[in-house]
Amino acid sequence: EVQLVESGGGLVQPGGSLRLSCAASGFTFSNYWMNWARHTPGKGLEWLANIKQDGSQSYYVDSVKGRFTIFRDNAKNSLYLQMNSLRVEDTAVYYCARDLPGISASAPWGQGTLVTVTS
Amino acid sequence: EIVMTQSPATLSVSPGERATLSCWASQSVSSKLAWYQLKPGQAPRLLIYGTSTRATGIPARFSGSGSGTEFTLTISSLQSEDSAVYYCQQYKEWPRTFGPGTRVEVK
């Protein structure tokens, strides 16, 4: 069964850092583009970043560019999101998601991990 | 950035009835449009990609249509388990962008 499991969320102060992890299983992780996205009740879904199979290319939405870094370890079947300079508005449920082969739509998604940025 | 809009914000439909959700893009996205379903506490679920192709395991009551800037998701016979928020998303250009969502309530 294809599965993605996020971890690493929690409570952090503004300006702080957090690293999210996504453990993949049930498929050949190194064959797929991978993504991070987030959801808040007020703003809905927002795509954050994605990374190529070998990690050689990555793309970010402007709101996180320069603060967040996506990277992967294919030997560990894991995807990561390093989040620095966190802001209150980064409070959200964070999801990892796998792209369909050759198509920039994503399935499946993980269950998400909650990040709360508050003083 | 391509801006996506959706209508209505909330849709209340009786079981067995048809639900029609609309999505617009601020510029043409060709057929690079997907629909996702999000229920509280669950992972988002891909329903439709390429405007009209159902993802693996998605029931036939879900269908998508449209092209360019106007798109529709139709749930032909609403079931109780279809209560959720539905998001359209374009993937023609980076950043991929979502609409604000349509909440579907089953009466």
Side-chain angles (χ1 to χ4, degrees), chain A residues 35 37 39-40 44-50 59-61 95 99-100 103-107 109-111, chain B residues 1 34 36 38-39 41-46 48-50 55 87 89-91 94-100:
Chain A
N35 306 267
H39 178 264
T40 61
L45 283 168
E46 180 182 25
W47 221 275
L48 299 178
N50 69 352
Y59 300 92
Y60 299 88
V61 69
Y95 299 98
D99 271 357
L100 299 180
I103 298 171
S104 299
S106 296
W109 295 51
Q111 295 278 0
Chain B
E1 166 177 315
Y36 295 86
L38 183 55
K39 297 181 180 180
Q42 295 191 18
R45 180 187 182 195
L46 176 66
I48 301 283
Y49 64 92
Y87 294 92
Q89 175 234 332
Q90 67 80 21
Y91 53 91
W94 184 261
R96 305 175 195 179
T97 46
F98 292 91

mmCIF file of all heavy atoms in Angstrom, chain A residues 35 37 39-40 44-50 59-61 95 99-100 103-107 109-111, chain B residues 1 34 36 38-39 41-46 48-50 55 87 89-91 94-100:
data_model
loop_
_atom_site.group_PDB
_atom_site.id
_atom_site.type_symbol
_atom_site.label_atom_id
_atom_site.label_comp_id
_atom_site.label_asym_id
_atom_site.label_seq_id
_atom_site.Cartn_x
_atom_site.Cartn_y
_atom_site.Cartn_z
ATOM 1 N N ASN A 35 6.047 16.744 -3.059
ATOM 2 C CA ASN A 35 5.543 18.089 -2.773
ATOM 3 C C ASN A 35 5.240 18.281 -1.284
ATOM 4 O O ASN A 35 4.956 17.323 -0.563
ATOM 5 C CB ASN A 35 4.213 18.293 -3.514
ATOM 6 C CG ASN A 35 4.299 18.019 -4.981
ATOM 7 O OD1 ASN A 35 4.534 18.926 -5.757
ATOM 8 N ND2 ASN A 35 4.106 16.762 -5.379
ATOM 9 N N ALA A 37 2.517 20.872 0.839
ATOM 10 C CA ALA A 37 1.418 21.831 0.764
ATOM 11 C C ALA A 37 0.889 22.021 2.181
ATOM 12 O O ALA A 37 1.262 21.271 3.101
ATOM 13 C CB ALA A 37 0.318 21.324 -0.162
ATOM 14 N N HIS A 39 -2.686 23.560 4.695
ATOM 15 C CA HIS A 39 -4.098 23.929 4.731
ATOM 16 C C HIS A 39 -4.401 24.692 6.003
ATOM 17 O O HIS A 39 -3.998 24.277 7.113
ATOM 18 C CB HIS A 39 -4.985 22.684 4.671
ATOM 19 C CG HIS A 39 -6.445 22.979 4.758
ATOM 20 N ND1 HIS A 39 -7.161 22.930 5.931
ATOM 21 C CD2 HIS A 39 -7.317 23.370 3.801
ATOM 22 C CE1 HIS A 39 -8.413 23.262 5.695
ATOM 23 N NE2 HIS A 39 -8.534 23.533 4.410
ATOM 24 N N THR A 40 -5.116 25.782 5.858
ATOM 25 C CA THR A 40 -5.677 26.499 6.996
ATOM 26 C C THR A 40 -7.163 26.698 6.739
ATOM 27 O O THR A 40 -7.589 26.816 5.584
ATOM 28 C CB THR A 40 -5.016 27.869 7.193
ATOM 29 O OG1 THR A 40 -5.254 28.660 6.011
ATOM 30 C CG2 THR A 40 -3.532 27.738 7.426
ATOM 31 N N GLY A 44 -7.539 28.012 3.086
ATOM 32 C CA GLY A 44 -7.670 26.821 2.260
ATOM 33 C C GLY A 44 -6.322 26.165 1.999
ATOM 34 O O GLY A 44 -5.402 26.238 2.802
ATOM 35 N N LEU A 45 -6.219 25.534 0.832
ATOM 36 C CA LEU A 45 -4.999 24.822 0.469
ATOM 37 C C LEU A 45 -4.004 25.733 -0.229
ATOM 38 O O LEU A 45 -4.397 26.598 -1.025
ATOM 39 C CB LEU A 45 -5.348 23.653 -0.467
ATOM 40 C CG LEU A 45 -5.957 22.397 0.170
ATOM 41 C CD1 LEU A 45 -6.521 21.472 -0.889
ATOM 42 C CD2 LEU A 45 -4.916 21.676 1.020
ATOM 43 N N GLU A 46 -2.739 25.537 0.062
ATOM 44 C CA GLU A 46 -1.668 26.318 -0.568
ATOM 45 C C GLU A 46 -0.506 25.389 -0.888
ATOM 46 O O GLU A 46 -0.008 24.689 -0.010
ATOM 47 C CB GLU A 46 -1.189 27.444 0.359
ATOM 48 C CG GLU A 46 -0.081 28.299 -0.250
ATOM 49 C CD GLU A 46 0.413 29.381 0.700
ATOM 50 O OE1 GLU A 46 0.274 29.212 1.931
ATOM 51 O OE2 GLU A 46 0.955 30.396 0.233
ATOM 52 N N TRP A 47 -0.066 25.389 -2.157
ATOM 53 C CA TRP A 47 1.100 24.615 -2.551
ATOM 54 C C TRP A 47 2.349 25.360 -2.110
ATOM 55 O O TRP A 47 2.430 26.565 -2.275
ATOM 56 C CB TRP A 47 1.129 24.432 -4.063
ATOM 57 C CG TRP A 47 1.553 23.054 -4.390
ATOM 58 C CD1 TRP A 47 2.825 22.567 -4.509
ATOM 59 C CD2 TRP A 47 0.684 21.940 -4.590
ATOM 60 N NE1 TRP A 47 2.779 21.229 -4.760
ATOM 61 C CE2 TRP A 47 1.501 20.811 -4.820
ATOM 62 C CE3 TRP A 47 -0.696 21.782 -4.584
ATOM 63 C CZ2 TRP A 47 0.959 19.541 -5.043
ATOM 64 C CZ3 TRP A 47 -1.220 20.553 -4.804
ATOM 65 C CH2 TRP A 47 -0.395 19.440 -5.039
ATOM 66 N N LEU A 48 3.311 24.664 -1.536
ATOM 67 C CA LEU A 48 4.487 25.324 -1.004
ATOM 68 C C LEU A 48 5.738 25.081 -1.834
ATOM 69 O O LEU A 48 6.476 26.013 -2.156
ATOM 70 C CB LEU A 48 4.750 24.851 0.424
ATOM 71 C CG LEU A 48 3.647 25.122 1.440
ATOM 72 C CD1 LEU A 48 4.059 24.551 2.790
ATOM 73 C CD2 LEU A 48 3.349 26.601 1.532
ATOM 74 N N ALA A 49 6.000 23.826 -2.129
ATOM 75 C CA ALA A 49 7.262 23.499 -2.776
ATOM 76 C C ALA A 49 7.198 22.107 -3.367
ATOM 77 O O ALA A 49 6.408 21.277 -2.933
ATOM 78 C CB ALA A 49 8.412 23.557 -1.753
ATOM 79 N N ASN A 50 8.044 21.886 -4.374
ATOM 80 C CA ASN A 50 8.207 20.518 -4.840
ATOM 81 C C ASN A 50 9.649 20.271 -5.239
ATOM 82 O O ASN A 50 10.461 21.193 -5.338
ATOM 83 C CB ASN A 50 7.220 20.163 -5.958
ATOM 84 C CG ASN A 50 7.481 20.872 -7.263
ATOM 85 O OD1 ASN A 50 8.308 21.768 -7.346
ATOM 86 N ND2 ASN A 50 6.750 20.474 -8.288
ATOM 87 N N TYR A 59 11.176 23.937 -6.459
ATOM 88 C CA TYR A 59 10.431 25.159 -6.710
ATOM 89 C C TYR A 59 9.644 25.527 -5.455
ATOM 90 O O TYR A 59 9.195 24.658 -4.718
ATOM 91 C CB TYR A 59 9.484 24.968 -7.896
ATOM 92 C CG TYR A 59 10.208 24.613 -9.168
ATOM 93 C CD1 TYR A 59 10.413 23.284 -9.509
ATOM 94 C CD2 TYR A 59 10.712 25.603 -10.006
ATOM 95 C CE1 TYR A 59 11.101 22.941 -10.663
ATOM 96 C CE2 TYR A 59 11.394 25.271 -11.159
ATOM 97 C CZ TYR A 59 11.592 23.940 -11.480
ATOM 98 O OH TYR A 59 12.274 23.608 -12.626
ATOM 99 N N TYR A 60 9.488 26.832 -5.254
ATOM 100 C CA TYR A 60 8.826 27.329 -4.056
ATOM 101 C C TYR A 60 7.795 28.398 -4.413
ATOM 102 O O TYR A 60 7.977 29.170 -5.352
ATOM 103 C CB TYR A 60 9.837 27.952 -3.092
ATOM 104 C CG TYR A 60 10.891 26.995 -2.593
ATOM 105 C CD1 TYR A 60 12.072 26.804 -3.298
ATOM 106 C CD2 TYR A 60 10.704 26.280 -1.406
ATOM 107 C CE1 TYR A 60 13.036 25.919 -2.848
ATOM 108 C CE2 TYR A 60 11.668 25.402 -0.943
ATOM 109 C CZ TYR A 60 12.828 25.223 -1.669
ATOM 110 O OH TYR A 60 13.778 24.344 -1.214
ATOM 111 N N VAL A 61 6.753 28.458 -3.624
ATOM 112 C CA VAL A 61 5.827 29.587 -3.731
ATOM 113 C C VAL A 61 6.475 30.791 -3.067
ATOM 114 O O VAL A 61 7.303 30.641 -2.148
ATOM 115 C CB VAL A 61 4.474 29.224 -3.073
ATOM 116 C CG1 VAL A 61 4.607 29.114 -1.561
ATOM 117 C CG2 VAL A 61 3.389 30.195 -3.475
ATOM 118 N N TYR A 95 1.089 19.005 4.641
ATOM 119 C CA TYR A 95 0.960 17.714 3.979
ATOM 120 C C TYR A 95 2.111 17.480 3.014
ATOM 121 O O TYR A 95 2.546 18.414 2.328
ATOM 122 C CB TYR A 95 -0.321 17.655 3.144
ATOM 123 C CG TYR A 95 -1.612 17.817 3.895
ATOM 124 C CD1 TYR A 95 -2.251 19.050 3.945
ATOM 125 C CD2 TYR A 95 -2.221 16.733 4.514
ATOM 126 C CE1 TYR A 95 -3.454 19.202 4.604
ATOM 127 C CE2 TYR A 95 -3.424 16.876 5.190
ATOM 128 C CZ TYR A 95 -4.034 18.112 5.226
ATOM 129 O OH TYR A 95 -5.223 18.261 5.887
ATOM 130 N N ASP A 99 3.490 13.274 -6.681
ATOM 131 C CA ASP A 99 2.909 13.566 -7.992
ATOM 132 C C ASP A 99 2.586 12.276 -8.737
ATOM 133 O O ASP A 99 3.258 11.245 -8.563
ATOM 134 C CB ASP A 99 3.865 14.393 -8.839
ATOM 135 C CG ASP A 99 3.673 15.883 -8.636
ATOM 136 O OD1 ASP A 99 2.759 16.283 -7.880
ATOM 137 O OD2 ASP A 99 4.432 16.664 -9.235
ATOM 138 N N LEU A 100 1.569 12.351 -9.588
ATOM 139 C CA LEU A 100 1.336 11.278 -10.530
ATOM 140 C C LEU A 100 2.484 11.254 -11.539
ATOM 141 O O LEU A 100 3.083 12.304 -11.806
ATOM 142 C CB LEU A 100 0.024 11.487 -11.269
ATOM 143 C CG LEU A 100 -1.252 11.530 -10.429
ATOM 144 C CD1 LEU A 100 -2.461 11.745 -11.321
ATOM 145 C CD2 LEU A 100 -1.404 10.269 -9.612
ATOM 146 N N ILE A 103 2.554 13.889 -14.476
ATOM 147 C CA ILE A 103 1.417 14.807 -14.330
ATOM 148 C C ILE A 103 1.571 15.547 -13.014
ATOM 149 O O ILE A 103 1.826 14.935 -11.983
ATOM 150 C CB ILE A 103 0.088 14.032 -14.345
ATOM 151 C CG1 ILE A 103 -0.081 13.308 -15.682
ATOM 152 C CG2 ILE A 103 -1.094 14.967 -14.095
ATOM 153 C CD1 ILE A 103 -1.243 12.359 -15.718
ATOM 154 N N SER A 104 1.375 16.844 -13.063
ATOM 155 C CA SER A 104 1.585 17.649 -11.864
ATOM 156 C C SER A 104 0.343 17.749 -10.985
ATOM 157 O O SER A 104 0.042 18.801 -10.435
ATOM 158 C CB SER A 104 2.077 19.044 -12.265
ATOM 159 O OG SER A 104 3.304 18.949 -12.945
ATOM 160 N N ALA A 105 -0.363 16.655 -10.893
ATOM 161 C CA ALA A 105 -1.431 16.508 -9.915
ATOM 162 C C ALA A 105 -0.963 15.447 -8.934
ATOM 163 O O ALA A 105 -0.149 14.593 -9.290
ATOM 164 C CB ALA A 105 -2.738 16.086 -10.582
ATOM 165 N N SER A 106 -1.469 15.516 -7.686
ATOM 166 C CA SER A 106 -0.842 14.704 -6.645
ATOM 167 C C SER A 106 -1.759 13.709 -5.981
ATOM 168 O O SER A 106 -2.870 14.044 -5.560
ATOM 169 C CB SER A 106 -0.269 15.629 -5.566
ATOM 170 O OG SER A 106 0.761 16.420 -6.102
ATOM 171 N N ALA A 107 -1.255 12.503 -5.864
ATOM 172 C CA ALA A 107 -1.912 11.436 -5.113
ATOM 173 C C ALA A 107 -0.899 10.334 -4.870
ATOM 174 O O ALA A 107 -0.140 9.991 -5.778
ATOM 175 C CB ALA A 107 -3.109 10.887 -5.900
ATOM 176 N N TRP A 109 -1.792 11.768 -0.691
ATOM 177 C CA TRP A 109 -1.321 12.743 0.266
ATOM 178 C C TRP A 109 -1.189 12.044 1.625
ATOM 179 O O TRP A 109 -1.868 11.046 1.875
ATOM 180 C CB TRP A 109 -2.312 13.887 0.412
ATOM 181 C CG TRP A 109 -2.507 14.724 -0.802
ATOM 182 C CD1 TRP A 109 -2.801 14.303 -2.075
ATOM 183 C CD2 TRP A 109 -2.460 16.145 -0.858
ATOM 184 N NE1 TRP A 109 -2.933 15.387 -2.917
ATOM 185 C CE2 TRP A 109 -2.733 16.524 -2.198
ATOM 186 C CE3 TRP A 109 -2.231 17.152 0.079
ATOM 187 C CZ2 TRP A 109 -2.758 17.863 -2.612
ATOM 188 C CZ3 TRP A 109 -2.258 18.476 -0.329
ATOM 189 C CH2 TRP A 109 -2.518 18.829 -1.653
ATOM 190 N N GLY A 110 -0.351 12.595 2.471
ATOM 191 C CA GLY A 110 -0.308 12.109 3.833
ATOM 192 C C GLY A 110 -1.442 12.694 4.648
ATOM 193 O O GLY A 110 -2.225 13.520 4.160
ATOM 194 N N GLN A 111 -1.527 12.265 5.907
ATOM 195 C CA GLN A 111 -2.583 12.738 6.803
ATOM 196 C C GLN A 111 -2.319 14.119 7.360
ATOM 197 O O GLN A 111 -3.224 14.756 7.893
ATOM 198 C CB GLN A 111 -2.752 11.750 7.970
ATOM 199 C CG GLN A 111 -3.240 10.389 7.552
ATOM 200 C CD GLN A 111 -4.750 10.337 7.380
ATOM 201 O OE1 GLN A 111 -5.440 11.322 7.583
ATOM 202 N NE2 GLN A 111 -5.250 9.185 6.999
ATOM 203 N N GLU B 1 0.926 34.916 -11.186
ATOM 204 C CA GLU B 1 0.296 33.747 -10.602
ATOM 205 C C GLU B 1 -1.147 33.641 -11.102
ATOM 206 O O GLU B 1 -1.861 34.624 -11.195
ATOM 207 C CB GLU B 1 0.347 33.885 -9.077
ATOM 208 C CG GLU B 1 -0.518 32.948 -8.285
ATOM 209 C CD GLU B 1 -0.336 33.106 -6.797
ATOM 210 O OE1 GLU B 1 0.804 33.205 -6.322
ATOM 211 O OE2 GLU B 1 -1.370 33.080 -6.085
ATOM 212 N N ALA B 34 -7.191 20.063 -11.797
ATOM 213 C CA ALA B 34 -7.484 18.921 -10.930
ATOM 214 C C ALA B 34 -8.508 19.329 -9.883
ATOM 215 O O ALA B 34 -8.666 20.519 -9.571
ATOM 216 C CB ALA B 34 -6.210 18.422 -10.253
ATOM 217 N N TYR B 36 -9.785 18.213 -5.881
ATOM 218 C CA TYR B 36 -9.461 17.476 -4.670
ATOM 219 C C TYR B 36 -10.632 17.577 -3.696
ATOM 220 O O TYR B 36 -11.335 18.584 -3.647
ATOM 221 C CB TYR B 36 -8.217 18.049 -3.984
ATOM 222 C CG TYR B 36 -6.953 17.909 -4.793
ATOM 223 C CD1 TYR B 36 -6.607 18.876 -5.742
ATOM 224 C CD2 TYR B 36 -6.095 16.832 -4.619
ATOM 225 C CE1 TYR B 36 -5.444 18.752 -6.481
ATOM 226 C CE2 TYR B 36 -4.926 16.709 -5.348
ATOM 227 C CZ TYR B 36 -4.614 17.677 -6.282
ATOM 228 O OH TYR B 36 -3.453 17.553 -7.024
ATOM 229 N N LEU B 38 -11.520 17.336 0.429
ATOM 230 C CA LEU B 38 -10.902 17.400 1.750
ATOM 231 C C LEU B 38 -11.960 17.280 2.824
ATOM 232 O O LEU B 38 -12.902 18.068 2.869
ATOM 233 C CB LEU B 38 -10.134 18.716 1.905
ATOM 234 C CG LEU B 38 -9.362 18.907 3.206
ATOM 235 C CD1 LEU B 38 -8.398 17.762 3.471
ATOM 236 C CD2 LEU B 38 -8.622 20.243 3.222
ATOM 237 N N LYS B 39 -11.800 16.255 3.651
ATOM 238 C CA LYS B 39 -12.676 16.059 4.809
ATOM 239 C C LYS B 39 -11.881 16.308 6.081
ATOM 240 O O LYS B 39 -10.666 16.064 6.099
ATOM 241 C CB LYS B 39 -13.223 14.625 4.823
ATOM 242 C CG LYS B 39 -14.090 14.269 3.627
ATOM 243 C CD LYS B 39 -14.592 12.849 3.736
ATOM 244 C CE LYS B 39 -15.463 12.479 2.557
ATOM 245 N NZ LYS B 39 -15.965 11.084 2.654
ATOM 246 N N GLY B 41 -9.768 16.101 9.233
ATOM 247 C CA GLY B 41 -8.943 15.058 9.796
ATOM 248 C C GLY B 41 -8.447 14.017 8.819
ATOM 249 O O GLY B 41 -7.800 13.043 9.211
ATOM 250 N N GLN B 42 -8.749 14.206 7.542
ATOM 251 C CA GLN B 42 -8.316 13.232 6.537
ATOM 252 C C GLN B 42 -7.340 13.854 5.553
ATOM 253 O O GLN B 42 -7.228 15.076 5.451
ATOM 254 C CB GLN B 42 -9.525 12.685 5.779
ATOM 255 C CG GLN B 42 -10.482 11.879 6.627
ATOM 256 C CD GLN B 42 -11.515 11.150 5.798
ATOM 257 O OE1 GLN B 42 -11.361 10.953 4.585
ATOM 258 N NE2 GLN B 42 -12.603 10.732 6.441
ATOM 259 N N ALA B 43 -6.641 12.998 4.838
ATOM 260 C CA ALA B 43 -5.756 13.464 3.787
ATOM 261 C C ALA B 43 -6.573 13.969 2.611
ATOM 262 O O ALA B 43 -7.619 13.390 2.278
ATOM 263 C CB ALA B 43 -4.850 12.321 3.324
ATOM 264 N N PRO B 44 -6.130 15.045 1.978
ATOM 265 C CA PRO B 44 -6.783 15.435 0.721
ATOM 266 C C PRO B 44 -6.758 14.273 -0.259
ATOM 267 O O PRO B 44 -5.825 13.477 -0.291
ATOM 268 C CB PRO B 44 -5.918 16.614 0.235
ATOM 269 C CG PRO B 44 -5.287 17.157 1.484
ATOM 270 C CD PRO B 44 -5.034 15.952 2.343
ATOM 271 N N ARG B 45 -7.806 14.198 -1.083
ATOM 272 C CA ARG B 45 -7.961 13.083 -2.006
ATOM 273 C C ARG B 45 -8.109 13.632 -3.418
ATOM 274 O O ARG B 45 -8.977 14.484 -3.661
ATOM 275 C CB ARG B 45 -9.202 12.303 -1.615
ATOM 276 C CG ARG B 45 -9.541 11.089 -2.464
ATOM 277 C CD ARG B 45 -10.905 10.579 -1.994
ATOM 278 N NE ARG B 45 -11.345 9.375 -2.680
ATOM 279 C CZ ARG B 45 -12.617 8.926 -2.638
ATOM 280 N NH1 ARG B 45 -13.530 9.586 -1.952
ATOM 281 N NH2 ARG B 45 -12.927 7.828 -3.278
ATOM 282 N N LEU B 46 -7.282 13.174 -4.316
ATOM 283 C CA LEU B 46 -7.391 13.578 -5.722
ATOM 284 C C LEU B 46 -8.587 12.884 -6.345
ATOM 285 O O LEU B 46 -8.695 11.653 -6.301
ATOM 286 C CB LEU B 46 -6.112 13.212 -6.479
ATOM 287 C CG LEU B 46 -6.117 13.483 -7.985
ATOM 288 C CD1 LEU B 46 -6.190 14.978 -8.266
ATOM 289 C CD2 LEU B 46 -4.879 12.870 -8.645
ATOM 290 N N ILE B 48 -10.072 14.176 -9.654
ATOM 291 C CA ILE B 48 -10.033 14.372 -11.107
ATOM 292 C C ILE B 48 -8.727 15.076 -11.463
ATOM 293 O O ILE B 48 -8.302 15.996 -10.762
ATOM 294 C CB ILE B 48 -11.198 15.269 -11.588
ATOM 295 C CG1 ILE B 48 -12.558 14.663 -11.225
ATOM 296 C CG2 ILE B 48 -11.087 15.555 -13.091
ATOM 297 C CD1 ILE B 48 -13.001 13.519 -12.094
ATOM 298 N N TYR B 49 -8.096 14.662 -12.554
ATOM 299 C CA TYR B 49 -6.966 15.398 -13.112
ATOM 300 C C TYR B 49 -7.143 15.489 -14.616
ATOM 301 O O TYR B 49 -7.976 14.765 -15.196
ATOM 302 C CB TYR B 49 -5.624 14.755 -12.728
ATOM 303 C CG TYR B 49 -5.419 13.360 -13.269
ATOM 304 C CD1 TYR B 49 -4.783 13.146 -14.487
ATOM 305 C CD2 TYR B 49 -5.856 12.252 -12.543
ATOM 306 C CE1 TYR B 49 -4.590 11.865 -14.982
ATOM 307 C CE2 TYR B 49 -5.675 10.968 -13.020
ATOM 308 C CZ TYR B 49 -5.038 10.780 -14.239
ATOM 309 O OH TYR B 49 -4.849 9.506 -14.720
ATOM 310 N N GLY B 50 -6.379 16.388 -15.233
ATOM 311 C CA GLY B 50 -6.552 16.571 -16.673
ATOM 312 C C GLY B 50 -7.972 16.977 -17.034
ATOM 313 O O GLY B 50 -8.473 16.604 -18.103
ATOM 314 N N ALA B 55 -9.297 9.885 -10.967
ATOM 315 C CA ALA B 55 -8.146 9.233 -10.344
ATOM 316 C C ALA B 55 -8.520 7.805 -9.937
ATOM 317 O O ALA B 55 -9.699 7.442 -9.876
ATOM 318 C CB ALA B 55 -7.684 10.041 -9.141
ATOM 319 N N TYR B 87 -11.808 21.411 -3.769
ATOM 320 C CA TYR B 87 -10.894 22.435 -4.285
ATOM 321 C C TYR B 87 -10.505 22.112 -5.721
ATOM 322 O O TYR B 87 -10.159 20.968 -6.040
ATOM 323 C CB TYR B 87 -9.607 22.481 -3.456
ATOM 324 C CG TYR B 87 -9.788 22.936 -2.033
ATOM 325 C CD1 TYR B 87 -10.011 22.022 -1.002
ATOM 326 C CD2 TYR B 87 -9.709 24.284 -1.699
ATOM 327 C CE1 TYR B 87 -10.168 22.432 0.305
ATOM 328 C CE2 TYR B 87 -9.865 24.711 -0.381
ATOM 329 C CZ TYR B 87 -10.096 23.780 0.599
ATOM 330 O OH TYR B 87 -10.241 24.197 1.908
ATOM 331 N N GLN B 89 -7.662 23.023 -8.677
ATOM 332 C CA GLN B 89 -6.241 23.406 -8.666
ATOM 333 C C GLN B 89 -5.714 23.369 -10.093
ATOM 334 O O GLN B 89 -5.947 22.408 -10.829
ATOM 335 C CB GLN B 89 -5.443 22.430 -7.806
ATOM 336 C CG GLN B 89 -3.949 22.648 -7.813
ATOM 337 C CD GLN B 89 -3.170 21.400 -8.187
ATOM 338 O OE1 GLN B 89 -3.594 20.276 -7.968
ATOM 339 N NE2 GLN B 89 -2.014 21.584 -8.795
ATOM 340 N N GLN B 90 -5.007 24.428 -10.478
ATOM 341 C CA GLN B 90 -4.362 24.426 -11.791
ATOM 342 C C GLN B 90 -2.915 23.999 -11.636
ATOM 343 O O GLN B 90 -2.250 24.333 -10.652
ATOM 344 C CB GLN B 90 -4.472 25.805 -12.471
ATOM 345 C CG GLN B 90 -3.700 26.935 -11.806
ATOM 346 C CD GLN B 90 -2.208 26.959 -12.135
ATOM 347 O OE1 GLN B 90 -1.768 26.395 -13.154
ATOM 348 N NE2 GLN B 90 -1.425 27.603 -11.288
ATOM 349 N N TYR B 91 -2.445 23.254 -12.622
ATOM 350 C CA TYR B 91 -1.038 22.870 -12.597
ATOM 351 C C TYR B 91 -0.374 23.165 -13.944
ATOM 352 O O TYR B 91 0.616 22.532 -14.318
ATOM 353 C CB TYR B 91 -0.865 21.401 -12.177
ATOM 354 C CG TYR B 91 -1.654 20.380 -12.953
ATOM 355 C CD1 TYR B 91 -1.120 19.764 -14.071
ATOM 356 C CD2 TYR B 91 -2.922 19.998 -12.534
ATOM 357 C CE1 TYR B 91 -1.824 18.792 -14.760
ATOM 358 C CE2 TYR B 91 -3.644 19.044 -13.210
ATOM 359 C CZ TYR B 91 -3.099 18.432 -14.332
ATOM 360 O OH TYR B 91 -3.808 17.472 -15.008
ATOM 361 N N TRP B 94 3.721 27.115 -12.488
ATOM 362 C CA TRP B 94 4.145 27.224 -11.104
ATOM 363 C C TRP B 94 4.020 28.698 -10.673
ATOM 364 O O TRP B 94 4.377 29.572 -11.439
ATOM 365 C CB TRP B 94 5.592 26.756 -10.942
ATOM 366 C CG TRP B 94 6.006 26.762 -9.512
ATOM 367 C CD1 TRP B 94 6.730 27.709 -8.862
ATOM 368 C CD2 TRP B 94 5.640 25.793 -8.530
ATOM 369 N NE1 TRP B 94 6.841 27.374 -7.532
ATOM 370 C CE2 TRP B 94 6.187 26.217 -7.300
ATOM 371 C CE3 TRP B 94 4.901 24.617 -8.561
ATOM 372 C CZ2 TRP B 94 6.021 25.488 -6.128
ATOM 373 C CZ3 TRP B 94 4.737 23.897 -7.390
ATOM 374 C CH2 TRP B 94 5.292 24.334 -6.198
ATOM 375 N N PRO B 95 3.508 29.003 -9.454
ATOM 376 C CA PRO B 95 3.087 28.005 -8.477
ATOM 377 C C PRO B 95 1.720 27.410 -8.801
ATOM 378 O O PRO B 95 0.848 28.102 -9.318
ATOM 379 C CB PRO B 95 3.027 28.801 -7.179
ATOM 380 C CG PRO B 95 2.656 30.173 -7.609
ATOM 381 C CD PRO B 95 3.330 30.378 -8.924
ATOM 382 N N ARG B 96 1.562 26.142 -8.502
ATOM 383 C CA ARG B 96 0.239 25.562 -8.590
ATOM 384 C C ARG B 96 -0.657 26.323 -7.616
ATOM 385 O O ARG B 96 -0.246 26.626 -6.500
ATOM 386 C CB ARG B 96 0.275 24.091 -8.205
ATOM 387 C CG ARG B 96 1.273 23.278 -9.031
ATOM 388 C CD ARG B 96 1.355 21.866 -8.515
ATOM 389 N NE ARG B 96 2.533 21.183 -9.047
ATOM 390 C CZ ARG B 96 2.872 19.933 -8.744
ATOM 391 N NH1 ARG B 96 2.109 19.229 -7.922
ATOM 392 N NH2 ARG B 96 3.951 19.390 -9.257
ATOM 393 N N THR B 97 -1.851 26.615 -8.043
ATOM 394 C CA THR B 97 -2.751 27.397 -7.205
ATOM 395 C C THR B 97 -4.105 26.719 -7.099
ATOM 396 O O THR B 97 -4.578 26.081 -8.042
ATOM 397 C CB THR B 97 -2.921 28.823 -7.739
ATOM 398 O OG1 THR B 97 -3.140 28.780 -9.160
ATOM 399 C CG2 THR B 97 -1.681 29.664 -7.474
ATOM 400 N N PHE B 98 -4.695 26.885 -5.915
ATOM 401 C CA PHE B 98 -5.993 26.306 -5.617
ATOM 402 C C PHE B 98 -7.062 27.394 -5.601
ATOM 403 O O PHE B 98 -6.781 28.558 -5.293
ATOM 404 C CB PHE B 98 -5.991 25.653 -4.233
ATOM 405 C CG PHE B 98 -5.139 24.423 -4.114
ATOM 406 C CD1 PHE B 98 -3.819 24.526 -3.721
ATOM 407 C CD2 PHE B 98 -5.663 23.175 -4.369
ATOM 408 C CE1 PHE B 98 -3.025 23.394 -3.591
ATOM 409 C CE2 PHE B 98 -4.888 22.024 -4.239
ATOM 410 C CZ PHE B 98 -3.566 22.151 -3.853
ATOM 411 N N GLY B 99 -8.287 26.986 -5.860
ATOM 412 C CA GLY B 99 -9.416 27.844 -5.580
ATOM 413 C C GLY B 99 -9.702 27.866 -4.097
ATOM 414 O O GLY B 99 -9.120 27.089 -3.330
ATOM 415 N N PRO B 100 -10.613 28.743 -3.660
ATOM 416 C CA PRO B 100 -10.926 28.863 -2.240
ATOM 417 C C PRO B 100 -11.772 27.733 -1.690
ATOM 418 O O PRO B 100 -11.954 27.633 -0.470
ATOM 419 C CB PRO B 100 -11.675 30.198 -2.159
ATOM 420 C CG PRO B 100 -12.280 30.349 -3.515
ATOM 421 C CD PRO B 100 -11.317 29.739 -4.476
#
